Amino acid sequence: MLQITEKQVQDSITMEMALPVLRKAYEDCMEGEIYAGGRIFTPVRGQENVGQWLVANCTNQPYFGSKFSSVFPQNVKKGLPSVISKVSLYSALTGELHALIDANYLTAIKTGGSAAIATDLMSKKDAGKLGIIGTGLQAFSQVLAIQEVRKITELYVYDVMPERVDRFIEQIETVKNSPYKIIAAGTANECVAQSDIICTCTTSLTPVFEGSYVKPGTHINAIGSFTSFMQEIDEETVLRSDKVTTEHMEGLWDAAGDIIIPLEKGLISKDKVNGTVGDILTGTILGRENDQEITLYESVGSGVLDIALSIAIYEKFRK
């Protein structure tokens, strides 16, 4: 049994490697060759702290696996990651444990890569102004991934803890793939108003910006909300969105507070959600039909993508 550390994952995985793995996982999922099981999440001593388990099984490779993540937002005040994850990868032939993989960076790359695929399919082709709300590892991976699919001209950054913004900008300066400007936004609404692509990467339980500031033609990657009671995106944003997609429909109705809350209030019906990223990739639905549409990718986590990426890392190390 291999134990693959966080550092080993960081040293072995790149966005260039991850994007084709994730695209293929979406396509394989549409073919039924890899599929997600039911998710489990549990609040831990209140609703702010959460533990979550995602699982996936392969029919075209000899693996199945699970990922556990804990989300403790106050960890940032203790110098710890707010999200801590680990993947267990098993043999589908014997049930033996093949690997334990530290998965904080893996999760960030997976989430960023999936959002980049959605961005490529749903945002305007000339979208160049990117807005990031939040400055943690997930936010970092969003920039790392989206700059691979769109030519970024300006990056706007906002965080409720202003002291974190300068450090984040310094990190992005070391990895940006073109000489785009990086601007610290004074407010979340300012960040949104200036952007063609918006990524929300927080652990907030309440909306982080006002939907009235979203411009026509904007694409939004809503990353932070993954339980039924988290609402990172406000109801106006959901109502104004012309197209809404996710990783898996079942997971969305289990875990996306951004969508579940307006549904329970009777503001939307389930047909507000058009389908999945896999549906767009395979041509079942369209990602964008004109430059005025507001599009929303609601990420709730995907065991399929986690396990697909874990298999790629495991096979690299076992050779």
Side-chain angles (χ1 to χ4, degrees):
M1 189 272 290
L2 287 178
Q3 292 194 24
I4 302 174
T5 67
E6 195 70 41
K7 186 178 186 307
Q8 287 175 312
V9 172
Q10 289 185 37
D11 290 344
S12 68
I13 192 171
T14 65
M15 196 59 71
E16 185 179 17
M17 163 200 164
L19 285 172
V21 171
L22 297 173
R23 281 182 181 269
K24 187 173 189 306
Y26 269 122
E27 292 165 354
D28 287 350
C29 188
M30 295 297 292
E31 295 294 326
E33 294 179 342
I34 182 170
Y35 59 91
R39 72 177 60 212
I40 299 171
F41 74 86
T42 180
V44 181
R45 299 181 183 177
Q47 289 194 329
E48 185 178 45
N49 301 325
V50 175
Q52 178 176 233
W53 290 259
L54 301 174
V55 298
N57 187 26
C58 301
T59 61
N60 61 346
Q61 297 185 79
Y63 303 107
F64 70 100
S66 67
K67 186 184 82 171
F68 170 74
S69 294
S70 62
V71 181
F72 281 57
Q74 297 306 312
N75 275 3
V76 294
K77 297 178 181 178
K78 303 173 184 177
L80 297 170
S82 59
V83 181
I84 300 173
S85 301
K86 189 177 287 286
V87 167
S88 302
L89 188 66
Y90 300 90
S91 166
L93 303 177
T94 66
E96 294 174 290
L97 180 63
H98 278 320
L100 280 174
I101 306 171
D102 290 341
N104 289 6
Y105 193 72
L106 182 152
T107 298
I109 292 293
K110 178 266 305 191
T111 306
S114 181
I117 293 168
T119 299
D120 194 27
L121 296 169
M122 300 180 75
S123 73
K124 295 186 296 183
K125 296 302 180 187
D126 63 352
K129 296 181 179 181
L130 173 61
I132 301 287
I133 299 175
T135 55
L137 180 56
Q138 293 286 1
F140 178 81
S141 76
Q142 293 290 306
V143 179
L144 202 65
I146 291 169
Q147 68 179 7
E148 294 295 321
V149 298
R150 287 294 180 271
K151 182 175 175 56
I152 304 304
T153 57
E154 294 176 1
L155 170 62
Y156 293 85
V157 182
Y158 175 77
D159 194 283
V160 292
M161 300 171 66
E163 65 273 16
R164 291 167 57 93
V165 173
D166 288 343
R167 185 168 68 250
F168 183 80
I169 290 173
E170 289 174 3
Q171 289 178 310
I172 298 302
E173 288 285 3
T174 67
V175 298
K176 66 182 188 181
N177 63 358
S178 65
Y180 51 77
K181 299 177 184 177
I182 308 179
I183 301 145
T187 67
N189 286 337
E190 176 191 333
C191 183
V192 167
Q194 295 295 331
S195 301
D196 305 316
I197 302 165
I198 300 161
C199 302
T200 56
C201 315
T202 77
T203 53
S204 177
L205 301 180
T206 57
V208 296
F209 67 84
E210 297 172 62
S212 59
Y213 284 85
V214 178
K215 300 181 299 186
T218 299
H219 172 68
I220 303 160
N221 296 312
I223 303 302
S225 170
F226 62 88
T227 69
S228 59
F229 50 81
M230 296 174 77
Q231 191 182 17
E232 195 184 34
I233 302 298
D234 71 1
E235 290 146 16
E236 182 172 0
T237 300
V238 175
L239 289 168
R240 291 186 64 203
S241 296
D242 297 286
K243 289 191 171 63
V244 180
T245 62
T246 189
E247 297 104 325
H248 306 291
M249 295 293 280
E250 297 83 0
L252 181 96
W253 300 119
D254 286 339
D258 290 338
I259 307 300
I260 293 169
I261 291 169
L263 176 73
E264 290 179 342
K265 289 182 177 180
L267 299 175
I268 62 170
S269 60
K270 283 194 171 184
D271 61 11
K272 180 68 178 180
V273 183
N274 302 88
T276 68
V277 172
D279 287 324
I280 305 176
L281 275 173
T282 55
T284 304
I285 63 172
L286 296 174
R288 173 176 287 273
E289 294 182 72
N290 61 67
D291 285 349
Q292 295 302 302
E293 285 185 321
I294 294 172
T295 56
L296 171 61
Y297 164 64
E298 180 70 30
S299 175
V300 293
S302 167
V304 163
L305 303 183
D306 288 312
I307 298 308
L309 207 49
S310 297
I311 291 168
I313 292 169
Y314 169 69
E315 291 192 335
K316 188 172 184 178
F317 275 93
R318 78 185 182 100
K319 291 178 180 177

